[in-house]
């Protein structure tokens, strides 16, 4: 029980320090807007999508319900992290600030997540069929 109180106390101290730093910012409302936006994207988009996919997989009788849900969690988290460079306005004055093609790289990451998810699900299904045949 003491460990929980210690971790909770550390969390409160870190939260207070973050609030102190937020108040010292020249425009704290911009940071607060991103924080609220992150919660809204998670609670309004990512979580319902993951729950819906899990429910559809269960209704279809799929055994690997966790695989597509895990892929959606990874893809959603990566998308939320990539939003600032993806939503940046046009070109930048300094080419070294955001030097890469972020939309293309994000799309490649999404394709990689999809391919790896399909490959893993396929390998698991193949292994189960093979084990069933050997019995």
């Amino acid at each position: 029980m003491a460990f929980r109180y210690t971790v909770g106390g550390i969390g409160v101290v870190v939260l207070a320090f973050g609030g102190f730093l937020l108040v010292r910012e020249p425009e704290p409302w911009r940071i607060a807007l991103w924080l609220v936006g992150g919660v809204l994207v998670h609670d309004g988009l990512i979580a319902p999508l993951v729950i819906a996919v899990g429910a559809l997989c269960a209704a279809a009788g799929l055994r690997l319900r966790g695989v597509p849900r895990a892929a959606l969690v990874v893809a959603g988290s990566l998308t939320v992290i990539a939003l600032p460079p993806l939503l940046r306005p046009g070109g930048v004055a300094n080419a070294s600030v955001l030097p890469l093609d972020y939309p293309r790289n994000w799309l490649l990451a999404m394709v990689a997540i999809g391919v790896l998810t399909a490959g893993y699900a396929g390998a698991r299904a193949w292994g189960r069929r093979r084990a069933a045949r050997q019995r």
Side-chain angles (χ1 to χ4, degrees), residues 1-10:
M1 192 67 146
F3 178 74
R4 291 176 73 180
Y5 287 129
T6 303
V7 171
I10 291 171

Side-chain angles (χ1 to χ4, degrees), residues 9-25:
I10 291 171
V12 169
V13 169
V14 170
L15 181 67
F17 182 67
F20 170 73
L21 292 178
L22 179 64
V23 172
R24 290 187 44 174
E25 284 291 317

Side-chain angles (χ1 to χ4, degrees), residues 28-44:
W29 61 270
R30 295 181 79 177
I31 296 171
L33 183 67
W34 271 103
L35 292 173
V36 170
V39 170
L40 291 176
V41 167
H42 176 270
D43 292 350

Side-chain angles (χ1 to χ4, degrees), residues 76-95:
S77 300
L78 182 63
T79 300
V80 169
I81 291 169
L83 275 179
L86 288 174
L87 297 178
R88 72 166 189 231
V92 292
N94 183 354

Side-chain angles (χ1 to χ4, degrees), residues 28-104:
W29 61 270
R30 295 181 79 177
I31 296 171
L33 183 67
W34 271 103
L35 292 173
V36 170
V39 170
L40 291 176
V41 167
H42 176 270
D43 292 350
L45 185 66
I46 295 173
L49 183 62
V50 170
I51 292 169
V53 167
L56 287 173
C57 290
L62 296 176
R63 298 178 116 194
L64 297 174
R65 286 174 250 169
V67 174
R69 290 187 299 181
L72 284 173
V73 168
V74 171
S77 300
L78 182 63
T79 300
V80 169
I81 291 169
L83 275 179
L86 288 174
L87 297 178
R88 72 166 189 231
V92 292
N94 183 354
S96 66
V97 172
L98 295 172
L100 302 175
D101 186 3
Y102 291 98
R104 184 202 65 192

